[in-house]
mmCIF file of all heavy atoms in Angstrom:
data_model
loop_
_atom_site.group_PDB
_atom_site.id
_atom_site.type_symbol
_atom_site.label_atom_id
_atom_site.label_comp_id
_atom_site.label_asym_id
_atom_site.label_seq_id
_atom_site.Cartn_x
_atom_site.Cartn_y
_atom_site.Cartn_z
ATOM 1 N N LYS A 194 162.364 92.691 38.203
ATOM 2 C CA LYS A 194 161.327 92.742 37.169
ATOM 3 C C LYS A 194 160.077 92.028 37.674
ATOM 4 O O LYS A 194 160.171 90.928 38.224
ATOM 5 C CB LYS A 194 161.797 92.092 35.864
ATOM 6 C CG LYS A 194 160.790 92.299 34.718
ATOM 7 C CD LYS A 194 161.353 91.871 33.367
ATOM 8 C CE LYS A 194 161.118 90.408 33.091
ATOM 9 N NZ LYS A 194 161.662 90.009 31.778
ATOM 10 N N HIS A 196 156.143 90.476 36.963
ATOM 11 C CA HIS A 196 155.249 89.902 35.947
ATOM 12 C C HIS A 196 153.809 90.132 36.404
ATOM 13 O O HIS A 196 153.073 89.182 36.675
ATOM 14 C CB HIS A 196 155.523 88.413 35.750
ATOM 15 C CG HIS A 196 156.737 88.108 34.938
ATOM 16 N ND1 HIS A 196 157.982 87.921 35.487
ATOM 17 C CD2 HIS A 196 156.906 87.967 33.591
ATOM 18 C CE1 HIS A 196 158.858 87.669 34.518
ATOM 19 N NE2 HIS A 196 158.232 87.687 33.358
ATOM 20 N N ASP A 219 157.047 93.143 33.116
ATOM 21 C CA ASP A 219 156.733 92.252 31.993
ATOM 22 C C ASP A 219 155.283 91.811 32.154
ATOM 23 O O ASP A 219 154.918 91.232 33.181
ATOM 24 C CB ASP A 219 157.671 91.044 32.045
ATOM 25 C CG ASP A 219 157.516 90.127 30.839
ATOM 26 O OD1 ASP A 219 156.623 90.372 30.008
ATOM 27 O OD2 ASP A 219 158.298 89.160 30.745
ATOM 28 N N ASN A 221 153.452 90.076 29.546
ATOM 29 C CA ASN A 221 153.151 88.877 28.749
ATOM 30 C C ASN A 221 151.879 89.020 27.884
ATOM 31 O O ASN A 221 151.003 88.143 27.892
ATOM 32 C CB ASN A 221 153.072 87.627 29.638
ATOM 33 C CG ASN A 221 154.397 87.305 30.307
ATOM 34 O OD1 ASN A 221 154.612 87.680 31.461
ATOM 35 N ND2 ASN A 221 155.301 86.660 29.598
ATOM 36 N N GLU A 245 157.365 95.517 29.164
ATOM 37 C CA GLU A 245 157.645 94.394 28.263
ATOM 38 C C GLU A 245 156.356 93.728 27.780
ATOM 39 O O GLU A 245 155.494 93.382 28.588
ATOM 40 C CB GLU A 245 158.524 93.395 29.018
ATOM 41 C CG GLU A 245 158.942 92.168 28.225
ATOM 42 C CD GLU A 245 159.982 91.340 28.995
ATOM 43 O OE1 GLU A 245 160.712 91.895 29.852
ATOM 44 O OE2 GLU A 245 160.050 90.121 28.760
ATOM 45 N N GLU A 246 156.247 93.570 26.496
ATOM 46 C CA GLU A 246 155.140 92.861 25.844
ATOM 47 C C GLU A 246 153.757 93.247 26.388
ATOM 48 O O GLU A 246 153.018 92.390 26.880
ATOM 49 C CB GLU A 246 155.343 91.346 25.965
ATOM 50 C CG GLU A 246 156.482 90.819 25.113
ATOM 51 C CD GLU A 246 156.382 89.299 24.872
ATOM 52 O OE1 GLU A 246 156.162 88.557 25.832
ATOM 53 O OE2 GLU A 246 156.503 88.894 23.715
ATOM 54 N N GLU A 272 160.890 88.036 22.817
ATOM 55 C CA GLU A 272 161.022 86.615 23.160
ATOM 56 C C GLU A 272 160.102 85.733 22.320
ATOM 57 O O GLU A 272 160.332 84.533 22.225
ATOM 58 C CB GLU A 272 160.742 86.394 24.651
ATOM 59 C CG GLU A 272 159.292 86.606 25.033
ATOM 60 C CD GLU A 272 159.043 86.487 26.530
ATOM 61 O OE1 GLU A 272 159.324 87.453 27.257
ATOM 62 O OE2 GLU A 272 158.585 85.430 26.972
ATOM 63 N N GLN A 293 164.627 91.422 22.863
ATOM 64 C CA GLN A 293 164.914 90.343 23.815
ATOM 65 C C GLN A 293 164.764 88.959 23.183
ATOM 66 O O GLN A 293 163.907 88.174 23.594
ATOM 67 C CB GLN A 293 163.934 90.437 24.987
ATOM 68 C CG GLN A 293 163.963 91.766 25.715
ATOM 69 C CD GLN A 293 162.770 91.901 26.649
ATOM 70 O OE1 GLN A 293 161.634 91.892 26.208
ATOM 71 N NE2 GLN A 293 163.035 92.017 27.929
ATOM 72 N N HIS A 322 166.388 87.433 26.781
ATOM 73 C CA HIS A 322 165.290 86.809 27.528
ATOM 74 C C HIS A 322 165.855 85.532 28.135
ATOM 75 O O HIS A 322 166.477 84.725 27.443
ATOM 76 C CB HIS A 322 164.138 86.463 26.582
ATOM 77 C CG HIS A 322 163.097 85.588 27.224
ATOM 78 N ND1 HIS A 322 163.054 84.229 27.062
ATOM 79 C CD2 HIS A 322 162.081 85.900 28.059
ATOM 80 C CE1 HIS A 322 162.034 83.738 27.767
ATOM 81 N NE2 HIS A 322 161.435 84.730 28.380
ATOM 82 N N GLU A 347 168.506 88.722 33.275
ATOM 83 C CA GLU A 347 167.316 88.105 33.880
ATOM 84 C C GLU A 347 167.654 86.837 34.668
ATOM 85 O O GLU A 347 168.276 85.917 34.151
ATOM 86 C CB GLU A 347 166.302 87.751 32.776
ATOM 87 C CG GLU A 347 165.049 87.086 33.335
ATOM 88 C CD GLU A 347 163.877 87.097 32.352
ATOM 89 O OE1 GLU A 347 164.128 87.031 31.134
ATOM 90 O OE2 GLU A 347 162.726 87.166 32.828
HETATM 91 MG MG1 MG B 5 159.010 88.323 29.033
#
Side-chain angles (χ1 to χ4, degrees):
K194 187 170 88 180
H196 283 91
D219 186 355
N221 296 97
E245 181 172 335
E246 289 199 312
E272 69 184 79
Q293 302 167 298
H322 169 262
E347 179 163 32

